[in-house]
Amino acid sequence: MRPFSYQRATDPDMAVQALSADAAVDNPLTRATVQPLAGGTTLIDLMKLDVMRPAAIVDINPLAEGWSAIDPGRENLRLGALAKMSDVAAQGEVQRNYPVIANSLKLAASAQLRNMATLGGNVMQRTRCPYFRDVSYENCNKRNPGSGCAAMDGVNRMHAVLGVSDQCIATYPGDFAQALIALDATVEITGRSGTRSMPFAQLHKAPGSTPETETALRSGELISAFVVPGRWPRSVYLKARDRQSYEFALSSAAVALDVQHGAIKDARVALGGVATVPWRSREAEALLKGQTFDDGLAERAAEAAFADAKGRQYNNFKIALGKRVVARALHRAVTMEI
Amino acid sequence: MNAAAPEPKANMGQPVPRYDAVAKVAGRATYGSDMPLDNPAYAFLVTSAIARGRINGFDLDDAKRVRGVIDIITHENAPDLKESKLFSNGGYAGTTIQPLKSADIAHDGEIVAVVIAESYEAAREAANRVKVSYTAATPSASFDSPGTTKAAAKGQNAQFKEDPQVGDFAKAFDEAEVKVDAAYETPTQHHNPMELFSTSCVWMGDDLVIYEPSQYVYGLKNGVAEQLGIDADKVRVVNPYVGGGFGSRGSMTPRTAIIAGIAKRLNRPIKLVPTRDQGFTIATYRAETRHAIKLGANRDGKLVALRHEGVEVSSRADPYCVGGTKTTTRLYACPNVDSLVSIVRADRNTPGFMRSPPEVPYMFALESAMDELAVKLDMDPIELRRVNDTTNEPIGGKPYTSRSLMGCFDEAAKAFGWSQRSAAPKSMSDGDWLIGYGCAATCYPTQMAPSAARVRLQRDGRTRVEIAGHEIGTGAYTVIAQTAAERLGVPLEQVAVFIGDSDLPPGPVAGGSNSTASTCSAVMMVCDQIRQRMFKAMMPRQSLTDKAKETVGIGRTPTMQAAKSDRTLDLERAFDALGVGVIEEYGEWKPEGAPPDSFKAMHSGHARLVGGAAMKDKIAYAFGAEFVEVRVNRFTHEIRAPRLVGAFAAGRIMNPRTARSQLMGGLIWGMSSALLEATEIDQRTARYVNDNLADYLVPVSADVPGVEVILLSEQDDHINPAGAKGLGELANVGTNAAICNAIYHATGQRIRKLPVRLENIEV
Amino acid sequence: MSGNSSSRLSGFDRRAFMACAAGSALVPMTARAGALDAPAPVAQDPALHVEITLRVNGQDKRLSLDPRTTVLDALREHLKLTGSKKGCDHGQCGACTVLIGERRVVSCLTLALAAEGQEITTIEGLATGDQLHPMQQAFIDNDAFQCGYCTPGQIMSAVACVKEGHASSDADIREYMSGNICRCAAYPNIVAAMKQAAPEITKG
């Protein structure tokens, strides 16, 4: 861990000003010399590994008073970015009206980490690619742009099959983001020029030729809230993994359905553990909309979701697994009691 | 009584709570890195990024500029250390690859530099800033890599003495009515004890104190002394509590002498707490293995031919091997047996003992093959074991001292509900889950080693027992205290036990599951010396009756049961008769068949284990039967093991509480080995990739809903005075095969490679 | 394959270092308006320790720390409270679990600086004098440990788990205790211990 200066932000203005000091730095994630500290479960972890080397840390936890509300309104659900994962997972209305959100949070990490981690930090968590996390591997395009990718022909069982490029196959490891992207959430971003909003789907950037750029956040910007439109009581988060708990997904599906009179009026499908970014499958959704559910439909939708998947030596199984997980999640969503 | 404290059956001690329980729940148990040091400097390791090649040079400028850095040690300025031979070849070391000796790199993660600084934070930062330039050569990672060499184990590893054979295997197999011919594989695994591989070294003049989690303080003391070139009496190793061992701390690793040497040079206590990932390469591990099994049987299930060929990976430098054929060729009655163990050398750190080193991989192969044979015979797998059960091992015809294998099968089958099993594969399910039942035999050799003990008795009954044993979670404090209390007839609360310190009388390595049998036999013997002194003082003219001989331990070493019959020795009178304030006795015990140099070896830190299959006219093993229910999800193919049931017989059970816990942990270890644990090796670079507890999966609470342990009553008077068979490594053996056998039952799919992952299932 | 490569722990971010070298040492700012005027990307000189007060087990502890010190290392190396254990140092094992306020957290990923002003409870603060906490006694009664290294973290986690209301069923306990790895695998006994202690804790 490199030395850093530490300061606590007392208000958002102070935070963004402190964070803007490295505005000239092109990549806010890997190279930023100032980093916000919320739960710390990613930042301190990666600083100990020498992967992240901020020279200054701005502790934004004091902003929690204004930025951690869980606000289930009539039209939408507003979640403050500094709300703790555990608090949101336990909130009654979130559990009732957005089970996909509650369960994506509950099935992530451990009770201790969920007590620490915030929603904003959670969506910003970095990949678990072992070659990214170990600085002794020079070949990591995400960490050292242009250096190559050690995972491509290495131990890549946990790696992505969707959204991959010839530069990077690192999996986006989170769960909650799948729920957000499925439900068409908006992310509120606070920066020097005030607050802006963007669709959550635009927050993360697929690796393409610049895997070092992971999000659309600009230097000095902070996520302040997420807004989820509507209510989705018929929604499911299904997560497949080797271990029963406290493990990242091999494959997961966030599914939300609006079923009326036996027909699927609206359908949302997002995939985790298999893609480089939070992954929404509009192909699967298109197949489902307006149809009457049966297992064959679920399988066709799952097939569509993985039509463009590219497996490698050890992760090829994720394509078949991912399809089965999607189909099963759809089945669960259709049959769940609400 | 609750489930944790089973009612003792015949030949079992009381399930008293652990001696160290309060210290452990209060956070007062002091592990190696908890020891307070006066003004310590902190060490941080820099480890190699290549598995084979040479260091061209270092750029230490940035690192040295870090405030608080005291020194950076590389091969260019490292303390001069002497070499130590491999543990299994008569030395102390777990590896003969000595880092910081030269510019050569022999494996991934070899120590290439040690940074010493005023704080942990500064040491870590400076280590991050050390730049090493290498010339890398292409390494051989494992079995299939180009550049490996393969040779028979016999002749290169002193501990591997024979490839057991009897009869004419080839002919018998050729003529057998029913055959199984299958290949099995087990993965690389790391112990991952919870406590890190820490070392603190403190010099006081020429005397060195080492605080380090060790399973063999005498071995470490003598090994470090040898490397430093100083008298062993100048070295003391202290570790009253060890945060898990599982074999990883039985032999000396290079880090200890390195840290000791640097501490001497800097004249400052040094504390090293390596990272979790460094633990994967600076200590040992269970190497991957391959097996070819051939079984031939008659239609009635009787084995007529058995061949087990095993191949294991080791380092270029060391011929380490586990050689489990000594067990698998002797487990069942079979007139024609053949076997061969070979070692493949790769560019890896040297493997070492990990909980049931030979039995886990070799019994997985055999017990899987037995299940395959049962399927071919259309026979219940329990009945197949019954048909081939034996009182004498087939290679030399030696009798088992006791063998409750089928008793274990019957008890465990009943508790598990085996009779509810519908035999056909894929015939049981529950909603989304396919259900499979499977079982396997488990066994572990009964081993003993020489051990000394000192016991001091005061006239108020307070007793102090001293022995350089080890508390690695096994309950060593507890069973030693119980043994002394019972033997001297003093209340358990009056007994104080001191272990984990090489200044105490030498004890054995806490390995090979010998500790309880060895240390308790030694404690019994020394307690008897005290009783003898008291008896003589109280009845000086009385010739000893047979009854007295039995109760005071003269003439022969009585069993624990005999001691129980007389606990009314009047201490006050005995002390008055002796005219002393304190009675203190020291004694050295050695097991039957121990070599003549046993006590010499004991004092110089060389473990001399005897027992198991290596005894002259008998063979001693503990047995068990393990049953599992697996559930395979039809959709995700996730595999879970909601029920593990094991029945075990291991001679005298000193404490049913600690025994049950250890066996329970073992069952879960076996499940973990079968379904979760594998160290992934990058085949291009021969480097461990998932070297942390998020990626190297061990079970969490949610993985183990139901575990049941059944302790069978068994008495064995032919093994050691304590009558105990080791059980710490008994329970994690059979589970591996039992899981795969259950997966076959659930899915119809036979999986012969561990760990079984969801991608291996094709439902 | 030949050529230079960095060591496992090497790697050098020139920009970060330049920023560090170029700036002068900055005393860490704690919630002062004036902080905004200071140039931000300036490294704290690690030799310049910061003075903080941690409130541990009901007592204020004045400490001079490297800003990089975690709560775990502050407890273990500076306050000699070695009950909390280091098993992974990356939030992967739970051996370092302590309570901050009412919440269980992993102290290895919590900066001591960030914990200033909050109530930290460790295993050493659980008992009342010689009277063990009901969870500690339940761990003894149910033999809920072997080597004991993960035990302080398990107990702190278990106490919080009960208070969170996540100990109402065996399945709940197992799921919500899965952040604490026990390599000896005492899990079934830990579940039994929590079931024993839970009524006493919720009652009290």
Side-chain angles (χ1 to χ4, degrees), chain A residues 41-316:
Chain A
T41 56
T42 294
L43 180 64
I44 305 301
D45 175 33
L46 289 178
M47 285 171 68
K48 285 183 176 181
L49 294 173
D50 209 31
V51 172
M52 293 179 77
R53 302 164 181 176
I57 283 178
V58 181
D59 186 344
I60 58 170
N61 285 297
L63 309 185
E65 209 171 317
W67 283 12
S68 62
I70 303 166
D71 189 4
R74 250 177 232 181
E75 305 295 317
N76 56 39
L77 168 68
R78 191 171 193 284
L79 298 168
L82 289 179
K84 300 290 188 184
M85 291 171 73
S86 54
D87 291 336
V88 180
Q91 213 273 351
E93 284 176 84
V94 174
Q95 289 179 346
R96 265 193 308 282
N97 295 326
Y98 308 89
V100 65
I101 290 180
N103 286 324
S104 72
L105 291 165
K106 187 194 151 183
L107 294 175
S110 68
Q112 290 95 316
L113 295 171
R114 295 192 296 268
N115 272 344
M116 299 168 72
T118 63
L119 298 187
N122 178 267
V123 303
M124 294 294 284
Q125 70 184 298
R126 314 291 302 276
T127 182
R128 305 294 304 187
C129 173
Y131 300 99
F132 168 76
R133 289 172 57 85
D134 185 340
V135 296
S136 72
Y137 289 95
E138 290 219 318
N139 302 344
C140 174
N141 288 324
K142 196 181 270 302
R143 201 166 18 81
N144 295 324
S147 62
C149 173
M152 209 68 78
D153 297 310
V155 175
N156 51 28
R157 178 173 184 263
M158 299 300 291
H159 287 71
V161 295
L162 287 167
V164 298
S165 74
D166 60 0
Q167 301 285 305
C168 184
I169 57 170
T171 305
Y172 174 79
D175 297 295
F176 171 58
Q178 272 66 252
L180 289 178
I181 200 168
L183 302 188
D184 252 343
T186 304
V187 55
E188 274 184 22
I189 296 163
T190 299
R192 262 182 306 179
S193 44
T195 298
R196 66 177 176 124
S197 288
M198 71 162 88
F200 182 77
Q202 290 171 18
L203 180 65
H204 290 85
K205 301 261 186 208
S209 57
T210 55
E212 70 277 15
T213 304
E214 293 179 353
T215 74
L217 275 195
R218 297 196 278 260
S219 188
E221 287 188 327
L222 281 169
I223 297 174
S224 42
F226 304 95
V227 179
V228 180
R231 286 184 182 176
W232 294 90
R234 186 176 294 286
S235 63
V236 162
Y237 190 73
L238 181 63
K239 183 174 181 179
R241 42 188 166 174
D242 296 309
R243 189 156 82 178
Q244 174 69 20
S245 184
Y246 199 12
E247 196 197 351
F248 296 93
L250 284 169
S251 171
S252 70
V255 162
L257 296 177
D258 180 1
V259 180
Q260 293 190 1
H261 312 297
I264 299 170
K265 194 171 161 224
D266 197 356
R268 305 294 177 79
V269 178
L271 313 175
V274 293
T276 55
V277 287
W279 191 265
R280 182 162 172 188
S281 178
R282 293 194 182 269
E283 299 83 356
E285 293 172 6
L287 268 167
L288 293 162
K289 273 180 210 169
Q291 303 295 310
T292 306
F293 185 85
D294 61 43
D295 285 341
L297 178 68
E299 280 169 29
R300 288 196 300 283
E303 203 65 44
F306 283 87
D308 294 331
K310 285 191 200 69
R312 301 196 69 85
Q313 186 175 5
Y314 300 109
N315 69 353
N316 214 31

Side-chain angles (χ1 to χ4, degrees), chain B residues 598-629:
Chain B
S598 285
F599 287 135
K600 182 172 167 249
M602 173 180 81
H603 282 278
S604 57
H606 293 292
R608 292 270 194 276
L609 266 59
V610 299
M615 290 191 288
K616 210 172 154 202
D617 51 3
K618 56 192 173 187
I619 175 169
Y621 273 73
F623 292 94
E626 304 187 322
F627 287 68
V628 301
E629 175 186 328

Side-chain angles (χ1 to χ4, degrees), chain B residues 214-225:
Chain B
S214 166
Q215 292 173 249
Y216 195 23
V217 290
Y218 262 74
L220 187 59
K221 157 195 162 128
N222 282 279
V224 170

Side-chain angles (χ1 to χ4, degrees), chain B residues 643-667:
Chain B
R643 282 202 302 141
L644 309 172
V645 176
F648 307 95
R652 179 173 171 81
I653 302 299
M654 312 300 280
N655 180 330
R657 173 194 297 257
T658 55
R660 172 185 171 274
S661 282
Q662 231 186 334
L663 292 163
M664 184 177 77
L667 281 164

Side-chain angles (χ1 to χ4, degrees), chain B residues 2 4 18 24-25 27 31 33-34 42 45 47 49 62 67 108 120-121 125 127-130 132-134 136 190-192 194-196 242-244 246 271 276-277 472-473 657 660-661 665 668-669 677 687 691-694 698-702 704, chain C residues 1-12 17 45-47 66 68-69 73 76-77 82-83 85-87 89 92-93 123-124 132 136 139-143 145-149 151-152 155 174-175 177-178 181 183-189 191:
Chain B
N2 55 23
R18 284 171 196 264
K24 283 181 173 174
V25 300
Y31 299 80
S33 63
D34 298 341
Y42 292 82
L45 303 178
T47 55
D62 290 328
R67 289 274 180 99
D108 168 38
Y120 177 72
E121 291 76 21
E125 182 196 352
N128 288 339
R129 293 185 186 276
V130 167
V132 192
S133 133
Y134 300 101
H190 277 77
H191 317 76
N192 278 305
M194 294 310 295
E195 185 180 7
L196 296 163
V242 178
F246 313 114
K271 179 172 186 173
R276 175 61 61 182
D277 66 295
I472 56 177
R657 173 194 297 257
R660 172 185 171 274
S661 282
I668 298 167
W669 256 66
E677 288 183 46
R687 301 188 62 187
D691 50 1
N692 62 76
L693 286 177
V698 299
V700 294
S701 192
V704 279
Chain C
M1 191 171 75
S2 129
N4 292 348
S5 73
S6 67
S7 81
R8 173 169 281 218
L9 285 165
S10 85
F12 181 62
F17 181 72
D45 185 329
D66 184 308
R68 296 171 288 187
T69 310
D73 287 331
R76 292 183 53 79
E77 304 299 330
T82 55
K85 301 297 186 222
K86 187 178 282 192
D89 217 20
Q92 299 167 352
C93 79
I123 190 72
E124 291 92 343
L132 293 177
Q136 292 173 312
F139 265 60
I140 294 177
D141 295 344
N142 293 278
D143 206 43
F145 50 87
Q146 291 177 42
C147 83
Y149 195 80
T151 309
I155 290 175
R174 286 194 296 265
E175 171 60 30
M177 286 300 289
S178 281
I181 288 175
R183 185 55 161 154
C184 301
Y187 298 124
N189 290 358
V191 173

